[in-house]
Structure formats: C-alpha cells, structure tokens
Amino acid sequence: MVGIFSSGCHCQIGFVVKIDFEPLGRRVEVNDSETILDAAQRAGLTVAAICGGRGTCGTCKIRLVSGELTPPTSVETQKLPSSALVSGFRLACQSRPAGDIRVEVPPESLTALQRILVEGIDSKFEFDPSIRFVSLDIEPPDNGDFEADDLRILKALNDLGFSSGITISPPIFPVLSSQLRSLEWKIKLAVTTTEPGSVIACLPVNAHGLGIACDMGSTKLAMYLVDLETGGILARTGRMNPQISYGEDVVNRIAYCNTHQDGRQILQHRLIETLNEMIGDLCGKTGSRPEWIVDCVMVGNTAMHHFFAGFPVRQLGEAPFIPAVSQATYLSAGNLHLNVAPGAEVYLPPNIAGFVGSDHVAMLLAANSWIGEKTIVSMDIGTNTEISLLSGGNMYSCSCASGPAFEGAHIEAGMRAAAGAIERVQIRNSQIIWQTIENTRPVGICGSGILDTVAELKLAGFLDTRGIFVRDHPMSNRLKEKNRMVLIPAESTGIGKDIEITRRDINQIQLAKAAIQAGVKILLKKAGCQPQDIDDFFIAGAFGTYLDVDHSIEIGLLPDIPLERYHQMGNAAGVGACQLLFSKKMRKTAGFIANNSHYVELTIDPDFTGDFLDAMFLHRGY
Amino acid sequence: MVGIFSSGCHCQIGFVVKIDFEPLGRRVEVNDSETILDAAQRAGLTVAAICGGRGTCGTCKIRLVSGELTPPTSVETQKLPSSALVSGFRLACQSRPAGDIRVEVPPESLTALQRILVEGIDSKFEFDPSIRFVSLDIEPPDNGDFEADDLRILKALNDLGFSSGITISPPIFPVLSSQLRSLEWKIKLAVTTTEPGSVIACLPVNAHGLGIACDMGSTKLAMYLVDLETGGILARTGRMNPQISYGEDVVNRIAYCNTHQDGRQILQHRLIETLNEMIGDLCGKTGSRPEWIVDCVMVGNTAMHHFFAGFPVRQLGEAPFIPAVSQATYLSAGNLHLNVAPGAEVYLPPNIAGFVGSDHVAMLLAANSWIGEKTIVSMDIGTNTEISLLSGGNMYSCSCASGPAFEGAHIEAGMRAAAGAIERVQIRNSQIIWQTIENTRPVGICGSGILDTVAELKLAGFLDTRGIFVRDHPMSNRLKEKNRMVLIPAESTGIGKDIEITRRDINQIQLAKAAIQAGVKILLKKAGCQPQDIDDFFIAGAFGTYLDVDHSIEIGLLPDIPLERYHQMGNAAGVGACQLLFSKKMRKTAGFIANNSHYVELTIDPDFTGDFLDAMFLHRGY
Ligand code: FES
Ligand code: FES
C-alpha cells in the first residue's frame, strides 16, 4: 500500500492498493477511492452488476478473505442478511479497499453482463418496462351511480390521460370485482405500455409490481425476481429441470413425447410445477406475493421453449428440425397455470432455429454482440453448443452437437459441477494437482476438470495428438491398463476407489471440441474471416464461465487468439431475460436479431465432415 | 282470383290473388308474380329472411295449407329435406302463388328481423364479417429450407399482401404443426379482419368457415350455425338452460353462487356442456366439424353473460346491482372449453346495466331501433322486462321486475308454452273458447293464455278493475268459491280435473303488467313524451311474439296506440347475434348503443311507486 497522491486543496487524495481476486487469481492495483466493483471491472472480471452499481440489485456480492474494506453502508446492511455480513459478504459496488486486500468472487456473482466491462451499463439500455403502475382512488358505486366495475376503472384511467382505447384484460375479471371491494377502491393497476394499453392486474397500493425472468436450461432452471417499478433484482433461485426424469437431453424428451400420449402435457406440467415452486421460493425470500408478479420473460433452447408453451415437438425432433414457432410470442400466464397474476403476460423471445433458441438470443442481447462493425463470436457451450458470428454487420448462427461431455456426462468418472467434483487440474513435474468444488475429497470430475486434465496431459506429453496415452513416459506408472490411467488414487478420493480417466473419456472430449471447432470454422468461412479477425469472443453458460480459456486453446476447443479477447459471461441468457423485462426496446431488438440471423445448418455444409475430422486431433488453437 | 293486367308487349302480366296467412289470420291481395315473402312483408308479417331473400339462409320456411304454389325451385330442393317438401314446406322467398292460397307460417319462421318490413334487409348492413378465409398452398420445409412453421405461414400471407404485422394466435400452435403436415401444406386459414390481423384457425381447403350465434336466455338457449363465407344460416337448435337446476331465475342462481364454493364454476361448466351438445347437434345436422367454427357471438342478460364468461356475480345480486363487465369482451374459445376451433374468439357484446344485458343490445340492433328521429319503444318481456325508448335521438333503458307470470310460473294452472298449454282464450256470450298448443287436450295455461283470459274476463264484465270476480254475473256459475273459477271443466281437460283461475293468478298478471306499464311511463317521462308519440313499438321474445296485442292493451300491459305500430319480432336477440357474426360494423354499433343508452333505475325514481300502484288496476291502455 503506497501513497501516490499528495494531499491538498482541489487535489484527489488516494492511495494505490492491491486487490487479489479469488478464486480467479487476478491482481489489480487501484486507487483506494474506487469501489471493489470498479476494481473488478478494471481487472477484466465479469462481476454481475445488473443495476449498474446503484446498490439496488444485490448481484455484486463478494467476500472479504483478508485485509480491510470501508465499513458497510446502509445499503449493504439493508440488502445483505446480517449473517452474510458477519461471514464477510459485501456488495462490490458499495465497498472500497482500506488497504491491500484479498476478496473472493462467489460463482453466483459471476453471472455477469459482460458489456458492463465494455461500455458501462447505463449506456446499454434505458429502463423502459412493458408494464407501468398507476395508483387510483375510485368513487365506489352507490344508489345513484350504477356504472359497471370495468367502465368505472376505464373512466378513471381516461381522466388520468390514458388512451380512450385502453381495455381491461379478460383474465382479471374473475377476481377484479371482489378485489375492488376488499381494497375499498384504492388500487394500484398494472397497465401495459403498448398503445392503447391494457390493464392486466389490480394490486393493493402498497404492493410492489414484480416480474420474473427465467432461463430454462435443459438441465437447470434459473429464475430472477425483479421489481418492475424500480428496476432492482430482488432475488434469484435455481432448480434442476424436472424433465430430466423423462430424458436427459431434449432429443430424448421429444422421443418421450412422440411415444407417450399426453407426453407433451406431462413435460409441460412438471416444468410449470417446478417453476411455481421457484416462484414460491422467491416470494418467500422477499416477502412478496405471487399475484404481484405481472410480467414474465422465459428464455430457453427451442425445445424447452416448445415444452414450456405446450407447442408440438415432433417436427423438431426429426430432420429438417423445424420449430413450430420462431416468432416472439405472448402467452397468458393464467392459461399456463403459472402462479402469478392471472392477467400477466408471458413473453417468449423469438427462436432462431430448431437448435438455436431464445436463450441464445438473450445471450446476444446481454453481450450486445449482435450489432456493430466488430467481428464477434458468441458461444453457449452445452450438449448443443450455439455459436453466433457477427462480422461486417452480418450475423450467422449455428448449433453443434457437442454432446454432454462438458457437463460431465458420458465420462466414466464424470459428474455435474457439484460439491466434490474436480474442477481444476494441473500437472507439474508429472505430479497431478487438483481442486474440488467446496474443497471436499474428490468424488468425480466435472467438465472444466476433464478439460484441464486433457490439456495438461497433452502439455505433459503423456497424450499424443490422437488422444492415446504415450508409453515410456514418466507418468506411465499411472496406467492401469493400456487405455486407463489413475487420476486420483483411492486413498485420496471420497469414494474409496481410484478416480480414473480412460481413452474413451478423452475421445469424448475430442468429439465435443471437434464439433465446436468445425462450427466456428464454418461460420468464419461463411463470413470470409480468419480466427485472428475475431475482436471479441463471448462464452456463456455454467461450463463456459468456469472453463480455463488457455487450456481450451491448448486442445483446440477455442481459437488461438489473445486471451484478453475472451469474455466469460456466466448466465448471460438469464441476464438477457432480465433486460427483456426492463426494456421494451430490447424486445424489439430480440425480434431484429432472430429475423436477421443467417442460420447455417452444419450437417449439410460440404466442408463440415472434413473440418470435423481434422479437428479431432489434439492440436493447439486453430 | 281475378286478372287485372291485360296481356301485351312491355306490359306486366299478372293476376291478383288472395293469400291467407295462418295462424295469424292475415289476408293480403297480391300480384301473383310476387313471392310469398314479398306478400308476407306486404301483410306486415315478421317472417324471418336473414339472407334478404337470396335463398341462402333457409329461415323463411312456410307451409302450404291449401291452394297451389309455383313448383319448388332448385334452391328449395337443395335447402329443404325432401320429407319437408312432401309435407308442404317451402321457402317463402322462392315460391309464388299459383292462385288463391292459404299458408301457415311456423313459429320458427317468425324469428324475424323486423326491419326487413320497414326498410328491406339489404340496406340494413353489409356482409362484413370479422373473419376472412385464405387458401394457401405452401412449400414444405426441406433440407435446404429450415424456416419455422409460423414464419412460413406469415411469409406466405405477406406475399399475398397481408400486413407485415400479422400474427398467429398462440392457441392454434399446439395443433398447427401436425395440421400443416397432415393437410400436406394445402390449407385454408381463418384470419381476423381487424388490422394487422391474426390467424386463428387452419382448416382443410374444402371445409366451410363457420360461426355460431347464441342467445342465452335464463330459461332457453337458442343457437344458430352460420356459414361465414357465404352469409347463410345453416341450422338452428334450442335447449333448456341447464342452470335451471340451480335456480329458476338468475337471482336464485346468483344466491347459489354466493353460498356454494365453486358455484360459479359449476354454473359455467353446466352451461358450456350444454352449449357443446348444441354445437354437436348443429354440426351433425349439417355434416360440419366443430373445429371449423372460428367465430362465436354469445348474447344474454347480464347475469347469463357473467355466468358464461366466469365473471363474478355477487355484486350483481345486491343493490346497486353492478355488472363486473359492461364493455364488449373477446374471450378465447379454448379457455372456455367451447368445442370449436381452439383459436376461435368469442365475442360478447356490451351490457347496458345489471339488468339490461347484451341480449337487449342485440334486440335493438335487430330492430334497428337505436338511431333516428322516430320515437321507438323496444321491449323484451320476461321475468325481467327490458325496455328501451328512443326519442329525439336519445336512448333510455330500464328493467322491470315483471316476474315469471307471463312464462306460466306462479300461476296455479300455469305452464310453459308447450304441447297442451292453453295459448288462446275468447269469451263469446259467456262461453269460453280456447285453443291449445298442438291442439291436444288442455293440461295447463301458458302466458299468452292467461293474458287472454284476464282480458276477456274483464271485457265480459266478470272481472272488475281491481281484478275481483263480479257476483251476479252470467258466468258466476263458474265460481267454485269466492276467488276461484273453473276455466275448463275436468271432462274437457287432459288432466282429469278442472283447470281453474284464481284471484291470486289474476293478481300476478296485474303485478306484472303494472311493473311494465310503470317502466314505460317513466321512460316516456324522462324523454318528455306521451304514449301517443310512439311511432313504433317492438316486442321481442317468445311471449312477446305470441301475445295478443289488443288484449295487452285491454289490460293496460301495452299503451293504447294504433295496432299497426306494434311489431312482434320473435327471437330478436338471436337475430341480432347473427348480425354481429356477419358484420363488424354491427359490433361497433353495439358499443355505441351501450355507451349512449341512459340507464334509468326505476326503483329509485320518485314516480315509480305511484305509477306502479296506479297501474295495478285493470284499465284499458295508458
Ligand atoms: S451492482 Fe451492487 S447492488 Fe447492484
Ligand atoms: S329468405 Fe328465403 S332462404 Fe333466406
């Protein structure tokens, strides 16, 4: 900690301090008048800060590991439970270093909006939600005034200057008349902001108008509760997708629907049941009521979109894999039995193609990677990896069948990223160093761990470019048989036996990365670009956020461009979904993206097979 | 039959013939080149002719009793089953007299659009339905064309010149993709005609686009199936309202809802179940399929409107009797579980007040009695009698609690208008002459019969103005006790005992007619008119169509104005509902009527009690 500014009138007083960000291991020197959020951004870290640092969203949580911060502000004592404060949790936008410090960025705070780093959030979009709120104190009917309930409300709105074409949405009528009377005609109405407007909910005047944004992954569901009146994110929650019992991936779930009568209804019902539990959680956490939720944005891959909406999936499961619905769609929450205000609308952004869904559109929104003169790749790695390339103002999208290896599936010792999963692997002098999630004894290996393993084994020279273990190598003593090595011996694991890596596991990673490499190459060819032309490379999703970029380049998963061009974004689809709640303009943009994206079907591209086979080898970069 | 025109070049050849219309007993002399429909209109008869005499609707059925008509045209052999032709049924618009004839106008053909008589149907409204139909032959997707199903349809419509803002209604997505494939992409789309338009159904190209119009009375349901492409009425059907089991009138049904959890849902469910049976009937009769029905218009009193839509009724059942919804409303047929195309919309015209519903609005439309400089009364007599007065361009409406006496209820020997009901009564020289429905032995007396009875007893001097039987009258031998007379002795009835009329029965009629008279008088006072100013007096509904106008004047139910100013209209609400299917402009007009009608609450009018008590006496006219 070194003072660099002299004290004096009109001069800024400050010290340069060092901040170490864990577990990412980045160090940055900053002026101590800057917030930790500023410092993190300067360090290129994708810390979430949905509200732009105004202290309203609570997404920028960090934890002090050593050193001192300025004392908690009143905003922090309000936003954070005292138990969290005691454990060292703080809001990055509210706290400043009081000396050299070490802070930990918890994974949940990495659900970042990358453009914060690039352009600053405030220039990104204005707060312009689809719903506005109007408080009214209406004269009740009496024996000289027989006007109907609906007309009474419409006239009060007309008096306030609302368009004469304004209507009341029929789903609220079954509850409206008793609400008006129990609230004694003092109400807060939720009104759509598209002309001429429609009243979609009647709330008590002291209620907050709320919205939910949800990213429906094939495996995981993430939901955000937001305050539509202030723009704050109030709470987040996550659950496993209950449809997993009907098929691990969407292809199997479509097959289930094709072979079971009411299969679609069952999948939809199970999903919505779980979404309703999540809504219950969020409301419980925040002391809110589900009927105050008046707007919903749901994003997901095209199959999840169809499962949620009850749209047919048969044609989505067989070539040429056609979505029933690609355009943005508004559904009634009441029809879907979503436990929110019965008149709430559910907005589903558009899909680009059968395997490039609205979650990818939301990611492009969050990364702001859909417009401009830069060359930008946006990628969401999963069982299907969606890739978009923006180049020369044109947009190309594709989907690669990368398989579930990066989610830990189809790997003998593979597991999801959960406690006990090996998430980081290094090899130094033939010694294997590893780290598990929550630092427990290892019980398996997750996507980022297996990726690290393959890259480090290759760097150590123990794997050849075909993915075969090399004989007569210092590490050969780890081979149990020709195609099977011990990664962690039984005495160090939490399962009483060795954790092993097989040649088949390595081949799975080769197949996955080859599909992705071929996809990127074909998009680049379509646009007439080289990998080196890529200015920014956004990677979203859980695996994408935790993968080691250099290792990914090492095995040829990612192209060999400077590391600083890579941006790991966290749950970008969820962030995009929140933006779609906050901004009507974003909804227009989503339509623009879907309609202007050139979908490239890899399987019919004449270069695809060749590119794919070439990419199977473990070469650095491309 | 006398020739009046000499034959010769450029001269019209014709004979004057006499036509007797039964059972209304009107005779008219016409030229034999005129159709029976022309003749009926000349006779002032309200024969239905929804299509304006083009031979497409089939509503103008009549039956030849004696004499000869021109031979059946090909239109008639197509429209009428051969069994009907054999029994003498013909279409009035297609047949001409071949000499003096006697024809019978069956009650169902009296569901008339009165304005046909006044102005001719063609000037009334143009055929401008809310739905249009577009046949498309779409390129299916293949391995070089991955466009989603929705976008493929929207682009085909854009190519045909449809607005770029056109959308597809979400309720059809669950079935659309499989329909497209099973119909091999040759489809007929139903598209709303309001800009920018919405696709609401996908039909086979050879299907007919259909609509239903329904009048939901508290007691009876009437439904019409219409061809939305040609404007023809294909079939009609009627059922009892199944809600009767939960309360004979709407007041009792509202009480049921207030005291039973899910009462509203039960009433709605039972109603829609029956409506679906009626749809099944209509489709069976015409070889149509329910999913070809893409537009629905439902009219009813305000309570039936609310029961159908699932709107709350508690506040409708207690003073000040406020409707939850008065404005025109579009609901989704799918949400209502109505067995029609899932994307079909259900249009509910506006209500005027808690006891003046959309059925009354439909009646005003059918009678065209809502605009102009004439002074017009429109009345629908039932348990509640709705009355509108148009005067000086202003419209006033009210509802009178006239009770169910005119429907045969609360009358000791009363019954609905069904086989065996005494429907006509005359007294000549103290002898009682009567006629029953279907000419069977009498089993009871219906509304028009009890009205005739009271009027004739009064004319015969056997009732005084207070409604008390007069002693020492030639008919006194019919008195069984002071306040009870034998109308038909047991030996002539079909029930093995006397059919009797009591003073209580007569009092019920006095109460009912007093309420109606007071209502008419108060509306006239509001408008500053006298009864003699009334130019036209429309009476709708089953009882209104069959009542004897002169008898009604005799007891003071109707004002004493010339008989030719009265027009008995049949199911005017049903006719209005059909017009709302055929004409978008009519829907606008319905909104205009509801918003410009001054509702008059009789019970708080200072004159009401006085007028009502005065009107209790049995005086001729007012
Ligand atoms: S950025 Fe810190 S609370 Fe929102
Ligand atoms: S008027 Fe005769 S068929 Fe329509």
Side-chain angles (χ1 to χ4, degrees):
Chain A
M1 179 170 169
V2 185
I4 51 163
F5 295 104
S6 63
S7 146
C9 280
H10 308 297
C11 286
Q12 197 184 357
I13 302 169
F15 292 90
V16 171
V17 298
K18 288 198 204 75
I19 306 181
D20 284 305
F21 285 102
E22 300 291 357
L24 305 107
R26 303 234 180 130
R27 169 173 291 192
V28 65
E29 296 196 343
V30 298
N31 185 304
D32 73 351
S33 65
E34 287 183 85
T35 66
I36 304 298
L37 181 63
D38 296 332
Q41 292 180 351
R42 179 188 297 266
L45 290 181
T46 56
V47 176
I50 298 282
C51 75
R54 287 183 285 137
T56 57
C57 73
T59 54
C60 65
K61 236 180 323 174
I62 50 128
R63 185 176 180 181
L64 184 65
V65 177
S66 65
E68 263 183 61
L69 289 168
T70 48
T73 63
S74 61
V75 169
E76 289 179 278
T77 51
Q78 244 181 29
K79 279 277 155 190
L80 295 170
S82 56
S83 60
L85 280 166
V86 166
S87 320
F89 280 98
R90 301 289 300 274
L91 293 182
C93 69
Q94 300 296 312
S95 50
R96 295 180 166 73
D100 294 352
I101 57 168
R102 183 180 297 269
V103 298
E104 182 190 319
V105 184
E108 54 184 291
S109 295
L110 283 172
T111 56
L113 175 57
Q114 183 65 27
R115 295 310 285 187
I116 297 165
L117 310 185
V118 180
E119 298 180 348
I121 191 171
D122 287 334
S123 66
K124 182 77 190 308
F125 64 91
E126 38 182 339
F127 183 63
D128 168 33
S130 301
I131 310 291
R132 58 182 283 196
F133 297 88
V134 193
S135 291
L136 290 177
D137 188 347
I138 300 179
E139 264 320 294
D142 65 30
N143 240 328
D145 177 1
F146 301 96
E147 216 144 63
D149 291 346
D150 62 338
L151 197 56
R152 200 169 290 273
I153 287 177
L154 294 175
K155 287 195 173 170
L157 289 171
N158 294 154
D159 288 347
L160 286 178
F162 280 82
S163 148
S164 68
I166 193 169
T167 56
I168 299 176
S169 175
I172 80 171
F173 285 132
V175 293
L176 182 62
S177 295
S178 62
Q179 278 178 329
L180 288 170
R181 286 163 181 81
S182 68
L183 298 172
E184 295 179 328
W185 301 85
K186 290 172 205 22
I187 53 174
K188 181 190 276 189
L189 295 180
V191 185
T192 59
T193 53
T194 36
E195 281 303 304
S198 174
V199 177
I200 60 162
C202 174
L203 312 179
V205 278
N206 63 347
H208 278 252
L210 305 176
I212 53 168
C214 186
D215 174 30
M216 303 180 292
S218 307
T219 307
K220 280 185 171 175
L221 308 171
M223 192 186 281
Y224 302 77
L225 182 70
V226 313
D227 186 323
L228 288 179
E229 300 188 63
T230 64
I233 294 193
L234 303 177
R236 276 171 291 177
T237 190
R239 290 273 172 118
M240 294 302 286
N241 186 330
Q243 295 177 337
I244 286 174
S245 340
Y246 302 88
E248 192 170 24
D249 56 33
V250 297
V251 173
N252 286 313
R253 291 179 212 164
I254 292 174
Y256 175 85
C257 292
N258 289 345
T259 51
H260 292 75
Q261 213 192 332
D262 295 330
R264 245 159 77 194
Q265 286 74 10
I266 291 167
L267 286 188
Q268 185 187 33
H269 179 75
R270 289 300 309 277
L271 175 61
I272 286 176
E273 204 172 57
T274 300
L275 294 173
N276 282 339
E277 288 167 14
M278 295 169 79
I279 291 170
D281 283 358
L282 292 171
C283 288
K285 277 185 193 176
T286 54
S288 318
R289 298 183 59 91
E291 57 272 26
W292 300 351
I293 300 173
V294 298
D295 201 7
C296 310
V297 173
M298 315 296 289
V299 305
N301 60 55
T302 308
M304 283 306 305
H305 168 281
H306 281 41
F307 288 138
F308 170 76
F311 295 159
V313 291
R314 180 180 291 274
Q315 80 297 334
L316 199 55
E318 53 203 28
F321 309 107
I322 301 298
V325 179
S326 64
Q327 301 294 286
T329 310
Y330 283 90
L331 300 176
S332 144
N335 286 355
L336 290 165
H337 303 292
L338 214 51
N339 184 22
V340 299
E345 278 183 335
V346 178
Y347 168 75
L348 302 173
N351 297 307
I352 292 175
F355 285 95
V356 184
S358 58
D359 51 354
H360 190 64
V361 172
M363 178 209 173
L364 295 172
L365 281 175
N368 202 18
S369 59
W370 55 274
I371 198 166
E373 286 310 307
K374 279 186 169 182
T375 297
I376 307 179
V377 174
S378 305
M379 181 184 281
D380 191 339
I381 304 177
T383 301
N384 280 288
T385 296
E386 298 92 18
I387 313 172
S388 283
L389 170 66
L390 177 73
S391 172
N394 290 316
M395 181 102 135
Y396 305 85
S397 298
C398 71
S399 167
C400 326
S402 40
F406 291 134
E407 285 164 355
H410 299 190
I411 300 292
E412 205 177 274
M415 66 180 286
R416 296 190 195 287
I422 301 164
E423 55 166 351
R424 286 281 168 260
V425 174
Q426 282 191 334
I427 300 177
R428 294 290 172 269
N429 304 320
S430 300
Q431 292 307 303
I432 295 180
I433 311 165
W434 43 265
Q435 180 192 315
T436 59
I437 297 178
E438 296 185 15
N439 290 318
T440 65
R441 275 173 166 248
V443 297
I445 187 160
C446 70
S448 60
I450 183 88
L451 170 74
D452 280 359
T453 303
V454 174
E456 290 279 312
L457 290 174
K458 188 205 148 201
L459 284 167
F462 188 38
L463 272 187
D464 70 14
T465 55
R466 294 167 303 167
I468 299 176
F469 293 116
V470 171
R471 313 254 174 140
D472 303 322
H473 184 275
M475 292 179 75
S476 299
N477 62 334
R478 290 183 168 263
L479 286 178
K480 265 182 140 166
E481 44 186 86
K482 201 172 126 215
N483 291 323
R484 176 178 296 272
M485 70 168 281
V486 175
L487 186 68
I488 321 276
E491 60 268 27
S492 301
T493 71
I495 50 174
K497 56 177 188 170
D498 299 341
I499 290 178
E500 302 169 347
I501 297 291
T502 70
R503 182 173 165 196
R504 248 193 104 261
D505 296 340
I506 293 159
N507 291 347
Q508 292 293 324
I509 297 299
Q510 287 172 282
L511 283 168
K513 73 102 182 180
I516 294 171
Q517 183 184 127
V520 172
K521 279 188 180 158
I522 284 173
L523 290 190
L524 287 169
K525 253 180 253 179
K526 291 275 171 200
C529 295
Q530 297 300 317
Q532 287 65 36
D533 299 332
I534 299 170
D535 297 306
D536 285 302
F537 199 118
F538 293 103
I539 312 172
F543 170 70
T545 300
Y546 292 107
L547 62 71
D548 184 295
V549 171
D550 196 51
H551 280 158
S552 303
I553 296 172
E554 187 57 40
I555 67 162
L557 169 62
L558 296 176
D560 194 1
I561 57 174
L563 288 190
E564 61 270 22
R565 298 194 193 166
Y566 282 100
H567 311 280
Q568 290 167 270
M569 294 185 66
N571 183 8
V575 171
C578 288
Q579 293 181 349
L580 288 162
L581 268 180
F582 287 144
S583 160
K584 268 205 313 262
K585 195 167 153 236
M586 282 287 181
R587 298 191 183 184
K588 275 201 172 170
T589 302
F592 178 86
I593 293 174
N595 286 328
N596 288 281
S597 190
H598 304 287
Y599 173 67
V600 178
E601 173 60 37
L602 295 179
T603 55
I604 61 162
D605 189 283
D607 290 339
F608 180 73
T609 314
D611 283 346
F612 178 71
L613 291 175
D614 288 352
M616 286 289 293
F617 292 96
L618 292 173
H619 288 299
R620 180 171 171 90
Y622 52 90
Chain B
M1 177 172 170
V2 185
I4 52 164
F5 295 104
S6 64
S7 146
C9 279
H10 308 296
C11 286
Q12 196 185 355
I13 300 170
F15 291 91
V16 171
V17 297
K18 287 197 205 76
I19 306 181
D20 284 304
F21 287 101
E22 299 292 356
L24 304 106
R26 302 233 182 130
R27 169 174 290 193
V28 64
E29 294 196 344
V30 298
N31 184 304
D32 71 353
S33 64
E34 287 183 85
T35 65
I36 303 300
L37 181 63
D38 296 332
Q41 293 180 351
R42 181 187 298 265
L45 289 182
T46 58
V47 176
I50 298 282
C51 75
R54 288 184 284 135
T56 58
C57 73
T59 53
C60 65
K61 236 181 320 177
I62 49 127
R63 186 177 180 181
L64 184 66
V65 177
S66 66
E68 263 184 62
L69 289 167
T70 48
T73 64
S74 61
V75 169
E76 291 179 278
T77 52
Q78 245 182 26
K79 279 277 156 190
L80 295 170
S82 55
S83 60
L85 280 166
V86 166
S87 321
F89 281 98
R90 300 290 300 272
L91 294 180
C93 69
Q94 300 296 312
S95 49
R96 296 179 166 74
D100 294 352
I101 57 169
R102 181 179 298 268
V103 298
E104 183 189 319
V105 184
E108 56 185 285
S109 295
L110 283 172
T111 57
L113 174 57
Q114 183 65 28
R115 296 309 286 184
I116 298 165
L117 310 184
V118 179
E119 297 180 351
I121 191 170
D122 287 334
S123 66
K124 182 78 190 309
F125 64 90
E126 37 181 340
F127 182 64
D128 168 33
S130 300
I131 311 292
R132 57 182 285 196
F133 297 88
V134 193
S135 292
L136 290 177
D137 189 347
I138 300 180
E139 262 322 294
D142 64 30
N143 239 329
D145 176 3
F146 301 96
E147 216 144 63
D149 291 346
D150 62 338
L151 197 57
R152 201 169 289 274
I153 287 176
L154 294 175
K155 287 196 172 169
L157 289 171
N158 293 155
D159 289 347
L160 286 178
F162 279 82
S163 148
S164 69
I166 193 168
T167 56
I168 299 176
S169 175
I172 80 170
F173 284 132
V175 293
L176 182 62
S177 295
S178 62
Q179 279 178 328
L180 288 171
R181 286 163 181 82
S182 68
L183 298 173
E184 297 179 328
W185 300 85
K186 289 171 205 23
I187 53 175
K188 181 189 276 189
L189 295 179
V191 185
T192 59
T193 53
T194 36
E195 280 303 304
S198 174
V199 177
I200 60 161
C202 173
L203 312 178
V205 279
N206 63 347
H208 278 251
L210 305 177
I212 54 169
C214 186
D215 174 31
M216 303 181 291
S218 307
T219 309
K220 280 185 172 176
L221 308 171
M223 191 185 282
Y224 302 77
L225 183 71
V226 312
D227 186 325
L228 288 179
E229 300 188 63
T230 63
I233 294 192
L234 303 176
R236 274 172 292 176
T237 190
R239 290 272 172 119
M240 293 303 285
N241 188 330
Q243 295 177 337
I244 286 175
S245 340
Y246 302 89
E248 191 169 24
D249 56 34
V250 297
V251 174
N252 285 312
R253 290 178 213 166
I254 292 173
Y256 176 84
C257 292
N258 289 347
T259 52
H260 291 76
Q261 213 193 332
D262 295 331
R264 244 159 79 193
Q265 286 73 10
I266 291 167
L267 286 187
Q268 184 187 32
H269 178 76
R270 289 300 308 278
L271 174 61
I272 287 177
E273 205 173 55
T274 301
L275 294 173
N276 282 340
E277 289 167 13
M278 294 168 79
I279 291 170
D281 283 359
L282 292 171
C283 287
K285 277 186 194 176
T286 55
S288 318
R289 298 182 59 91
E291 58 271 27
W292 300 350
I293 300 173
V294 297
D295 201 7
C296 311
V297 173
M298 315 297 290
V299 305
N301 60 55
T302 308
M304 283 307 304
H305 169 281
H306 281 40
F307 289 138
F308 170 76
F311 295 159
V313 291
R314 181 179 291 274
Q315 79 296 333
L316 199 55
E318 53 202 28
F321 309 107
I322 302 297
V325 179
S326 64
Q327 303 293 288
T329 310
Y330 283 89
L331 301 176
S332 142
N335 286 355
L336 291 164
H337 303 292
L338 214 51
N339 184 23
V340 299
E345 279 184 333
V346 179
Y347 169 76
L348 302 173
N351 297 306
I352 292 175
F355 286 96
V356 184
S358 59
D359 52 353
H360 190 63
V361 172
M363 180 209 173
L364 295 172
L365 280 175
N368 202 20
S369 58
W370 55 275
I371 197 167
E373 288 309 309
K374 281 186 169 183
T375 297
I376 306 180
V377 175
S378 306
M379 181 184 281
D380 191 337
I381 304 177
T383 301
N384 280 286
T385 296
E386 297 92 17
I387 314 172
S388 283
L389 169 67
L390 177 74
S391 172
N394 291 316
M395 181 101 137
Y396 305 86
S397 298
C398 71
S399 168
C400 327
S402 41
F406 291 134
E407 286 164 355
H410 298 191
I411 299 293
E412 206 178 273
M415 65 180 286
R416 294 191 196 287
I422 301 164
E423 55 167 351
R424 287 280 168 259
V425 174
Q426 281 190 334
I427 300 176
R428 293 290 171 268
N429 303 321
S430 302
Q431 292 307 302
I432 294 179
I433 311 165
W434 44 265
Q435 180 192 314
T436 59
I437 296 178
E438 296 185 16
N439 290 319
T440 64
R441 274 174 165 247
V443 297
I445 187 160
C446 70
S448 60
I450 184 87
L451 171 74
D452 279 0
T453 302
V454 174
E456 290 280 311
L457 289 173
K458 189 206 146 200
L459 284 167
F462 188 39
L463 273 186
D464 69 14
T465 56
R466 293 168 303 167
I468 299 175
F469 294 115
V470 172
R471 314 252 174 141
D472 304 322
H473 184 275
M475 292 178 75
S476 298
N477 62 335
R478 290 183 169 263
L479 286 179
K480 265 181 138 166
E481 44 187 88
K482 202 173 126 214
N483 291 321
R484 177 178 296 273
M485 70 169 280
V486 176
L487 186 68
I488 320 275
E491 60 268 26
S492 301
T493 71
I495 50 173
K497 55 177 188 171
D498 298 342
I499 291 177
E500 302 168 349
I501 297 291
T502 70
R503 182 172 164 197
R504 248 193 104 262
D505 296 340
I506 292 159
N507 290 348
Q508 292 293 325
I509 297 300
Q510 286 171 281
L511 284 166
K513 72 101 183 178
I516 293 171
Q517 183 185 128
V520 172
K521 277 186 180 161
I522 284 172
L523 289 190
L524 287 168
K525 253 180 252 180
K526 290 275 170 199
C529 297
Q530 297 300 319
Q532 286 65 37
D533 299 332
I534 299 169
D535 296 305
D536 285 301
F537 199 120
F538 293 102
I539 312 171
F543 170 70
T545 300
Y546 292 107
L547 62 71
D548 184 296
V549 172
D550 195 51
H551 279 158
S552 303
I553 296 173
E554 187 57 40
I555 67 163
L557 169 63
L558 296 176
D560 194 1
I561 57 175
L563 289 191
E564 61 271 21
R565 298 194 193 166
Y566 283 101
H567 312 281
Q568 291 167 270
M569 293 186 66
N571 183 7
V575 171
C578 288
Q579 294 180 348
L580 288 162
L581 269 181
F582 288 145
S583 161
K584 270 206 312 263
K585 197 167 152 235
M586 282 288 180
R587 298 192 184 185
K588 276 201 170 169
T589 302
F592 178 87
I593 292 174
N595 286 328
N596 288 280
S597 190
H598 304 286
Y599 173 68
V600 177
E601 173 61 36
L602 296 180
T603 55
I604 61 162
D605 190 284
D607 291 338
F608 180 73
T609 315
D611 283 346
F612 177 70
L613 291 177
D614 288 353
M616 286 288 292
F617 293 95
L618 293 173
H619 287 300
R620 180 172 172 91
Y622 53 89

